[in-house]
Every structure is written in structure tokens, then in C-alpha cells.
């Protein structure tokens, strides 16, 4: 159990990186508190797995340090680090029984047999693997195999953190929920630091109390799920979280008004000191745009997507396209539709980063 | 829906059937035919029933004694060859470079002996091992160890085992290399996280994953070494005496040396049955635990 700090950490797979693009991970400073449930969220190739492998020691970073409770472990071998990692595809030892699989990490560390047996029993109980303990591991279903992988991570009580690398990819959707709630329960019961890599926002938002969004090798925002939703610090977070994502529209902002292609939109705050020469955009979530025939700016409804529980309309405002929530009764043929924005929920971005306005 | 049943399609396999008949069934039946007869010159044949088989399988008879002696030599040769080449092949595969030009060179050098024809391999080693002009034979003698495969049992066997190992270990190594290559990185990473030793990685991950390629490797090597003919024929000619007269060599001596077609026919059939039976046993033994695991 430990607090994990990443100090000035960066990694490039090729030698002598020069530009930003050469880095799989750009320089970053973060810390992960003991006992936290973190999700590393981002699209494929954004550096999530690299970051995870650096924490577990499978990859040695080209720059910076990894600290566990203040102790520098950057060059310490994985097996000496007290870290557990669960991989995307279940990794089991084919020739061993489930019990032997679970006991393997403990035996390798020379734990006495009685203690191993007790601990294995405990973990098997937690994971509902009791009935299968004496079966050959390779005879089990993929989700049971993944539970064994999880179990091998959990069985060591002294781990600094458990890292999950998209562990539910191969699991049936119905079992995904079950395993995810199991993980959540385990996190509460065992007071372990867990870092969970995924590209699925639902998985990240339901599992973690802190979600870390990564983009292009950099952490763009670290926060609670509702913060990511309400106040995306980066347009990428706005796009990536939420379905559909935030509407981002190029605009000219002056004081309390944004000008989107000639249409003035009122803002909740005043933006006076915007440095010139930056790309200015405003962002608003579809949930905070009201589509009606009454008030607001006129738009053309192009399409309505019915998701069952909720409907989203794609509308056209000048040259810009927006997703907005379509209230019941709105039809595609309504060419006199109008949208109105909730000023408090509009964010202003300069070069993709959110800027704070004055009250 | 009821589909009309039309058996006319069976006629389509007639050409294949005819080819199999021509290249397998008919020659095989010829041998069966010889095995139940005694032949004399002038193409005279006399019915002998199962007489040859009885004599062949009776160690106290002249033919039986000879048969069991060569069978023993063949079995010993196969056993030595497997015991040396399988571990060696695995070791070579494990120590091969993982990528780059070194890997390419390594693969080429390992595959090269596999491409050399049997009698060429035999000739190479015959010359290489000679005590008068052969590099190997001359060197071993020069450092004071008497080495002459034309009169020493140990030397003759050593040359044959070395030659076969040189010729065929590459096959096991290539098969194992392919098998190792297919193990995902996550297994090695998980083993590191679990604190597994190098030996545990080998026995718990690599060996189980190599199981199926090793099955094929062992089967191929057993069959090839048990049927080996050309190389020992070229190198030692079955000698000194008859210490390297394997079943195949003995069979040819009986069939073409003495023209005892009946004895040779019976021996061929028993020889074939032995290979079939041993392969079946190998296969069953190596495949069964896997199935058991899945059915449990």
C-alpha cells in the first residue's frame, strides 16, 4: 500500500526524442493517493498502457522518476516492486489448478504453506472461485480465467497497487457488470490502490472515484466523474466523455457574448482578457441546449437519433453542427425549430484549454 | 426441408480412389502377398501361410534373432536421438535472438542442414569422421582418443548420432521457435509480476505452450530416426559387424541381398505396424491430458 508519485516522467520508445510527437508519454507530474480507485481513460494509442507499464516496472521510463511512498523505484525490477497487474487477456498457468494459480505469486515469494492456503481460500471466496479451486485452470471459461488473473493480483496483501489493463475486454457484456461491481466491492473491502485502464467511458466512470483522461501522451484532466462532465478542462475531454460528446464551436468571444458564425450567444461569465492569436472555441453539452419552437436562435434539424431512453437531434446553426437533446414531440420536419443555450454551462476554450471567466 | 439424396457424388472421388489404389494399396498388397509365400529362383512361389511371421517373431530362430537385434538397435537409436535432439532443439530455440538480422541469419543457418539430401549428409560425415583424412576423426585421434568408426562400436554410434543431430535438431529448434513466438508478451509480464523464476517461466509457461509443436516434432523425429536408412548405409554400411544395422538396413539386406522376398515381406509388414503403433501411443499419451483437462 502506497502513494504513487510520478515526477517529471516522460517516455519515448525511440531513442533521442526531439519533438513532442516522439514521446509516447509527454512529461508529467502526478500523484496517486493510497486507496484510490483510478481510471485511466483515453483512446487507443494515447499512452495509457505505457503509463501503466511504467508504474508496474515492465517499462523503464526514458526520463523522470516513479516514487512509491517517497522511495524511488524507477529502476527497480517489477518483481521487487510489490505491484500487481491484470492484463487485457486472461493470463493463466495452463498446467496448474486454480488453487495453484492463485498460490503461485505467494509461493514464489516464499510464504509458508499454511499462510498461502489461508490467503488463497480468502481470495477464492471473494471471487466466487471456491467450487473450481481444484480444477485445471485451462478448462474454465474466459471470465473465470480472468477472475483467476484478478485473483493472482489480489492474493498478495502487501501490494502497493493493482493495475488493470482493460481487464474486461474479453468478458461477456452481462458478466462485465458483475465483475466490475465485484472489483468495486473488492476495492472497498481491501483498501487497495487500483488503477484501471480503459477506453470505455462507462467502465471508467462507474469504476473510479478519480478519472484520469489521457490524450496524445498527456494527462488532460484528472477529476471526479461529474467534474469531467460539467467542467471539461480540455475540448478532448468534452468530446470523449458523454455520448454524444460536447459541442465545440469556433467563436469570437468578447465580454459576455460569443459570436458563432454571426449568431450572438450569451455567456455566463465575462471574458475580457483573452490573449490574441489563439484559437477560441465555446463548448456546451447537448444536455444543456434546449430545442423548441419558441425561443432562441433558429436552426435546421438534420437528423434525430433515437437512443430509446433519450433522443438527440443533429441541428445546423449557420455552418456549425450541434447535437442537442430533442424533447418529445420534436419532429424532423420542423424547420422552424430554435435552440437556446444555458449560459452557465457554456465553457470557453483557448487553444483547446478551458479558460476561466470573471463573474 | 427434405433434401433429395443423390449418391452419384461418390463417383467424384473415384479418381482419388484410383490414385490411392495405385500408389498405396496395390504395392502394399504385393508385399502382403510375398509375406505369405516362399520364393525360389525362376519365379517359383510356394504357399507358406503365416510361417514367416511365426519365424520372425520367434527370437530363438535365426530370422527372429536377427530381427529383434536390429529392432533393438533401431529403438535405441531413436531413443538416443529423441533424448538428445528434443532438449537441444528447445535450448537452441530459447537462446535464439528475438529480432533483427541476427535472427534472420540464425534461421538460415539452422535450416540449412535440413535442406541437404540424405546421401550427401552421409557422405559428408563419412569423410568428416574418417580417422585418416577426416577433420573430426583425425582431430579426435590427434588429441589422444582412439576414434575409428570402422572398428569401434562406440565411435560408429557416436558418428551416427552426431550426424543425425546435426541434420535434424534444426527442425525441432524451428518448430519450438515458432511455438515460443506465439506466446503473448502478457504471459512473461505476468510471470515477472508474480515473481516467477526463469525456471518456472520455462516449466509453467513455455513448455505447456510448446506442447503441440513438440508433439509434432517428437512424432516426426521418431518416425524419421526409426526408418533411417541412407545415412548409416553410406557412413558405416551397418557395421562394424552388424552393430549399426538398423531395421531398414537389415530389411534391404534380406530383400535385395539374399532375395528372400517372403521374409522381407513379413518383416516390412511388422516394421510398418510397429511404427504405426508407436506413433499412435505417442499421440494418445501426449494428447490425452489436454482433453482430460477440458472435459473435467
Amino acid at each position: 500500500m502506497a502513494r504513487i508519485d510520478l515526477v517529471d516522467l516522460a517516455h519515448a520508445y525511440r531513442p533521442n526524442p526531439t519533438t513532442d510527437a516522439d514521446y509516447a508519454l509527454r512529461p508529467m507530474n502526478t500523484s496517486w493517493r493510497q486507496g484510490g480507485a483510478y481510471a485511466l481513460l483515453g483512446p487507443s494509442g494515447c499512452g495509457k498502457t505505457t503509463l501503466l507499464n511504467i508504474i508496474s516496472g515492465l517499462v523503464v521510463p526514458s526520463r523522470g522518476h516513479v516514487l512509491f511512498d517517497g522511495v524511488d523505484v524507477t529502476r527497480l525490477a517489477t518483481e521487487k516492486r510489490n505491484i500487481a497487474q491484470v492484463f487485457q487477456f486472461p493470463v493463466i498457468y495452463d498446467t496448474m489448478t486454480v488453487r495453484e494459480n492463485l498460490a503461485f505469486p505467494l509461493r514464489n515469494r516464499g510464504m509458508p504453506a499454511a499462510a498461502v492456503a489461508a490467503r488463497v481460500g480468502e481470495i477464492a471466496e471473494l471471487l466466487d472461485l471456491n467450487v473450481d479451486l481444484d480444477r485445471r485452470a485451462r478448462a474454465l471459461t474466459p471470465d473465470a480465467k480472468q477472475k483467476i488473473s484478478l485473483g493472482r493480483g489480489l492474493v498478495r496483501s502487501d501490494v502497493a497497487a493493482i493495475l488493470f489493463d482493460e481487464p474486461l475486454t474479453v468478458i461477456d457484456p452481462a458478466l462485465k457488470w458483475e465483475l466490475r461491481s465485484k472489483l468495486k466491492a473488492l476495492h472497498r473491502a481491501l483498501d487497495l490502490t487500483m488503477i484501471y485502464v480503459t477506453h470505455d467511458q462507462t467502465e471508467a466512470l462507474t469504476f473510479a472515484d478519480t478519472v484520469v483522461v489521457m490524450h496524445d501522451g498527456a494527462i488532460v484532466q484528472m477529476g471526479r466523474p461529474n467534474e469531467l462532465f460539467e467542467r471539461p478542462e480540455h475540448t478532448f475531454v468534452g468530446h470523449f466523455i458523454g455520448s454524444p460528446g460536447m459541442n465545440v464551436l469556433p467563436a469570437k468571444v468578447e465580454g459576455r457574448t460569443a459570436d458563432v458564425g454571426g449568431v450572438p450567444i450569451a455567456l455566463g461569465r465575462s471574458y475580457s482578457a483573452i490573449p490574441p492569436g489563439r484559437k477560441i472555441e465555446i463548448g456546451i453539452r447537448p444536455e444543456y441546449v434546449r430545442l423548441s419552437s419558441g425561443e432562441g436562435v433558429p436552426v435546421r434539424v438534420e437528423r434525430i437519433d433515437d437512443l430509446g431512453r433519450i433522443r438527440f437531434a443533429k441541428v445546423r446553426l449557420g455552418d456549425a453542427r450541434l447535437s442537442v437533446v430533442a424533447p418529445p414531440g420534436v419532429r424532423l420536419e420542423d424547420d422552424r425549430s430554435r435552440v437556446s443555450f444555458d449560459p452557465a454551462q457554456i465553457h470557453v476554450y483557448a487553444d483547446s484549454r478551458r479558460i476561466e471567466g470573471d463573474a | 426441408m427434405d433434401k433429395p439424396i443423390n449418391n452419384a457424388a461418390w463417383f467424384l472421388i473415384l479418381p482419388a480412389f484410383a490414385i490411392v489404389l495405385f500408389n498405396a494399396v496395390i504395392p502394399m498388397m504385393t508385399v502382403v502377398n510375398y509375406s505369405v509365400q516362399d520364393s525360389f529362383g525362376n519365379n517359383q512361389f510356394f504357399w507358406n501361410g503365416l510361417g514367416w511371421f511365426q519365424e520372425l517373431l520367434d527370437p530363438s530362430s535365426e530370422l527372429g534373432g536377427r530381427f529383434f537385434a536390429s529392432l533393438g538397435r533401431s529403438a535405441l537409436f531413436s531413443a538416443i536421438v529423441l533424448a538428445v535432439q528434443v532438449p537441444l532443439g528447445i535450448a537452441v530455440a530459447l537462446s535464439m535472438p528475438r529480432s533483427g538480422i541476427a535472427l534472420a541469419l540464425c534461421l538460415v543457418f539452422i535450416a540449412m542442414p535440413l535442406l541437404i539430401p540424405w546421401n550427401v549428409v552421409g557422405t559428408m560425415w563419412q569423410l568428416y569422421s574418417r580417422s585418416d583424412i577426416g577433420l573430426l576423426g583425425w582431430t579426435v585421434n590427434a588429441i589422444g582418443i582412439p576414434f575409428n568408426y570402422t572398428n569401434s562400436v562406440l565411435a560408429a554410434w557416436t558418428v551416427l548420432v552426431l550426424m543425425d543431430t546435426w541434420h535434424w535438431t534444426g527442425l525441432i529448434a524451428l518448430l519450438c521457435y515458432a511455438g515460443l513466438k506465439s506466446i503473448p508478451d502478457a504471459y512473461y509480464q505476468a510471470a515477472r509480476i508474480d515473481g516467477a523464476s526463469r525456471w518456472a517461466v520455462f516449466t509453467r509457461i513455455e513448455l505447456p505452450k510448446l506442447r503441440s509443436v513438440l508433439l509434432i516434432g517428437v512424432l516426426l523425429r521418431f518416425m524419421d530416426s526409426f526408418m533411417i536408412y541412407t545415412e548409416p548405409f553410406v557412413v558405416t554400411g551397418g557395421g562394424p559387424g552388424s552393430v549399426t544395422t538398423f531395421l531398414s538396413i537389415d530389411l534391404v539386406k534380406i530383400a535385395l541381398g539374399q532375395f528372400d522376398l517372403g521374409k522381407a515381406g513379413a518383416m516390412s509388414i511388422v516394421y510398418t505396424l510397429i511404427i504405426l503403433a508407436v506413433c499412435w501411443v505417442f499421440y494418445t499419451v501426449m494428447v490425452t491430458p489436454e482433453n482430460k483437462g477440458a472435459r473435467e
Side-chain angles (χ1 to χ4, degrees), chain A residues 161-188:
Chain A
I162 304 190
L163 314 179
F164 302 93
D165 192 355
E166 307 192 19
L168 302 182
T169 312
V170 293
I171 309 297
D172 233 39
L175 290 164
K176 259 187 195 174
W177 276 103
E178 197 194 314
L179 272 181
R180 198 158 55 222
S181 9
K182 191 128 254 166
L183 279 181
K184 210 111 204 181
L186 288 170
H187 176 251
R188 269 186 240 110

Side-chain angles (χ1 to χ4, degrees), chain B residues 130-131 134-145:
Chain B
R130 284 175 68 137
S131 50
L135 185 59
L136 175 72
W138 186 86
T139 312
V140 173
N141 278 305
I143 55 174
I145 304 166

Side-chain angles (χ1 to χ4, degrees), chain A residues 44-63:
Chain A
S44 305
C46 72
K48 304 173 303 234
T49 300
T50 304
L51 183 57
L52 204 68
N53 287 346
I54 285 173
I55 296 176
S56 66
L58 295 170
V59 171
V60 175
S62 9
R63 207 172 102 189

Side-chain angles (χ1 to χ4, degrees), chain A residues 4-224:
Chain A
I4 298 170
D5 293 293
L6 308 178
V7 183
D8 189 28
L9 188 87
H11 185 69
Y13 284 104
R14 57 168 70 181
N16 308 320
T18 45
T19 62
D20 265 1
D22 290 342
Y23 281 100
L25 275 187
R26 305 203 191 162
M28 59 173 69
N29 282 289
T30 38
S31 68
W32 316 68
R33 66 174 195 288
Q34 142 61 25
Y38 291 91
L40 265 178
L41 177 65
S44 305
C46 72
K48 304 173 303 234
T49 300
T50 304
L51 183 57
L52 204 68
N53 287 346
I54 285 173
I55 296 176
S56 66
L58 295 170
V59 171
V60 175
S62 9
R63 207 172 102 189
H65 301 278
V66 181
L67 310 181
F68 286 6
D69 273 338
V71 181
D72 191 334
V73 296
T74 316
R75 303 204 170 261
L76 202 62
T78 303
E79 52 273 28
K80 303 217 168 76
R81 262 189 205 200
N82 262 342
I83 205 106
Q85 187 166 354
V86 179
F87 297 90
Q88 189 168 4
F89 297 98
V91 174
I92 51 146
Y93 301 102
D94 283 351
T95 51
M96 300 189 203
T97 63
V98 175
R99 187 192 302 280
E100 288 165 337
N101 258 285
L102 292 178
F104 193 61
L106 300 178
R107 283 200 192 139
N108 285 332
R109 287 174 174 77
M111 207 188 213
V116 171
R119 186 68 186 163
V120 167
E122 207 176 306
I123 293 302
E125 180 87 36
L126 279 174
L127 290 173
D128 294 328
L129 282 170
N130 271 334
V131 287
D132 296 326
L133 268 182
D134 290 309
R135 292 176 63 183
R136 282 286 187 93
R138 75 160 150 250
L140 302 179
T141 54
D143 55 292
K145 284 182 181 171
Q146 193 60 310
K147 278 203 224 165
I148 299 174
S149 295
L150 283 175
R152 279 208 323 276
L154 296 166
V155 76
R156 287 158 54 197
S157 51
D158 59 342
V159 287
I162 304 190
L163 314 179
F164 302 93
D165 192 355
E166 307 192 19
L168 302 182
T169 312
V170 293
I171 309 297
D172 233 39
L175 290 164
K176 259 187 195 174
W177 276 103
E178 197 194 314
L179 272 181
R180 198 158 55 222
S181 9
K182 191 128 254 166
L183 279 181
K184 210 111 204 181
L186 288 170
H187 176 251
R188 269 186 240 110
L190 299 174
D191 185 35
L192 286 166
T193 309
M194 291 187 173
I195 302 177
Y196 188 108
V197 163
T198 178
H199 58 243
D200 179 338
Q201 52 166 315
T202 321
E203 238 170 78
L205 299 175
T206 51
F207 171 79
D209 39 54
T210 308
V211 178
V212 180
V213 183
M214 289 189 70
H215 174 50
D216 253 356
I219 292 177
V220 287
Q221 189 170 0
M222 207 163 165
R224 297 151 54 76

